[in-house]
């Protein structure tokens, strides 16, 4: 689906700093500075990083192992981490944070998609302008469209460019036949 494409693209192309800048306001109403430090320490562990990677793989945002093997001691450590106050599970904060972060990611992914679309449409507009200015006997302009990395968007842009070229070519043939 398109949303999944955008999220997979973001997972590869968005910096950690940008993620942090977007996520920090989501957490501020729900956790203390000490809780935040504790969560950061937890997420730096190999265990947490493997768990996050598996979560992203299960959501098909990134490739990877969807069901990593955890040793018995790692499972005990995971239970300890999720029992900590900073894990948000005991007082309802987790549901509120999940809801707020999901809304933020949905909005951010729309903005991200719109930015990619706007960049690609600049190239398509230049192509359309060149095609519309085409005079009989002139060479067809070349489309210099760089792939966005989103297959569904790239297909739509190519269709728009192809339809524009076909329409322009038909109009030029029609005008030549009239003359």
């Amino acid at each position: 689906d398109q949303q999944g494409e955008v999220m997979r693209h973001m997972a590869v192309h968005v910096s950690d700093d940008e993620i942090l800048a977007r996520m920090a306001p989501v957490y501020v109403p729900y956790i203390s500075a000490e809780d935040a430090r504790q969560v950061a320490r937890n997420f730096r562990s190999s265990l947490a990083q493997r768990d996050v990677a598996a979560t992203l793989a299960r959501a098909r945002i990134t490739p990877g192992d969807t069901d990593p093997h955890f040793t018995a001691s790692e499972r005990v450590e995971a239970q300890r981490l999720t029992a900590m106050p900073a894990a948000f599970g005991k007082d309802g904060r987790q549901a509120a944070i999940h809801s707020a972060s999901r809304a933020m990611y949905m909005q951010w992914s729309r903005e991200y998609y719109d930015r990619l679309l706007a960049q690609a449409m600049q190239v398509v507009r230049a192509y359309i302008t060149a095609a519309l200015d085409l005079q009989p006997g002139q060479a067809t302009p070349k489309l210099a469209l760089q792939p966005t990395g989103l297959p569904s968007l790239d297909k739509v842009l190519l269709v728009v460019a192809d339809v524009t070229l076909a329409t322009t070519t038909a109009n030029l043939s029609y005008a030549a036949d009239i003359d």
Side-chain angles (χ1 to χ4, degrees):
D1 77 333
Q2 181 180 340
Q3 184 69 29
E5 271 184 5
V6 173
M7 295 304 283
R8 284 186 293 280
H9 195 274
M10 289 174 73
V12 173
H13 298 285
V14 171
S15 71
D16 291 346
D17 288 341
E18 191 173 356
I19 294 169
L20 180 60
R22 294 284 184 143
M23 288 302 298
V26 170
Y27 281 84
V28 165
Y30 303 103
I31 66 173
S32 69
E34 180 51 38
D35 284 346
R37 282 189 285 278
Q38 188 176 23
V39 169
R41 280 191 301 273
N42 294 346
F43 273 98
R44 285 188 199 108
S45 74
S46 169
L47 171 70
Q49 293 197 5
R50 287 188 4 239
D51 186 48
V52 168
T55 299
L56 293 172
R58 282 191 297 275
R60 295 188 297 198
I61 293 172
T62 60
D65 188 358
T66 60
D67 191 21
H69 172 74
F70 294 112
T71 65
S73 63
E74 287 175 325
R75 284 193 296 276
V76 168
E77 178 66 9
Q79 289 172 344
R80 184 187 70 74
L81 293 176
T82 58
M84 295 175 135
F88 322 115
K90 304 293 184 221
D91 60 6
R93 290 186 286 173
Q94 187 175 33
I97 290 170
H98 178 74
S99 177
S101 64
R102 180 164 173 72
M104 181 280 300
Y105 273 116
M106 295 301 287
Q107 176 64 31
W108 185 18
S109 68
R110 283 189 295 273
E111 293 169 9
Y112 189 87
Y113 179 88
D114 290 346
R115 188 174 67 234
L116 288 176
L117 176 61
Q119 290 169 351
M121 284 305 296
Q122 288 178 340
V123 174
V124 171
R125 275 189 215 96
Y127 176 75
I128 289 170
T129 300
L132 293 174
D133 291 341
L134 197 62
Q135 299 299 315
Q138 285 184 318
T140 304
K142 299 292 181 209
L143 179 62
L145 186 63
Q146 295 296 317
T148 63
L150 300 175
S152 61
L153 178 57
D154 291 340
K155 287 176 188 176
V156 168
L157 293 168
L158 289 174
V159 167
V160 168
D162 287 346
V163 167
T164 300
L165 181 59
T167 302
T168 301
T169 303
N171 286 341
L172 288 173
S173 295
Y174 179 72
D177 288 346
I178 291 178
D179 291 339

